[in-house]
Amino acid sequence: MSADESLTKAEELLARVEAARAELEQLSAGEGGSPERAIELLAELSELAKAVEEELTRAQRAAEADAQS
């Protein structure tokens, strides 16, 4: 996977992070928000953060490999 592809994937994941964060904020603002859904969103945010980090690491490695060639 190229650095550009990894960065594009990371951007897509960040968009998902933002959507989950917005939903979590909406839940916290409303009365009777579902604690179960909030926990699910927090778990999703954690997984997405890990995936973003992995993609950025891939992009960095790909960029370094391209620079060396």
Side-chain angles (χ1 to χ4, degrees), residues 7-34:
L7 290 174
T8 299
K9 175 89 172 176
E11 288 174 353
E12 292 168 0
L13 290 166
L14 286 171
R16 290 177 54 197
V17 166
E18 178 57 27
R21 187 211 55 80
E23 185 178 347
L24 186 60
E25 185 176 304
Q26 188 176 28
L27 276 175
S28 69
E31 288 189 31
S34 167

Side-chain angles (χ1 to χ4, degrees), residues 2 6 23 25-26 28 30 32 35 38 44-45 50 54-56:
S2 74
S6 289
E23 185 178 347
E25 185 176 304
Q26 188 176 28
S28 69
E44 182 179 344
L45 285 168
K50 289 176 190 175
E54 289 171 4
E55 287 302 326
L56 292 177

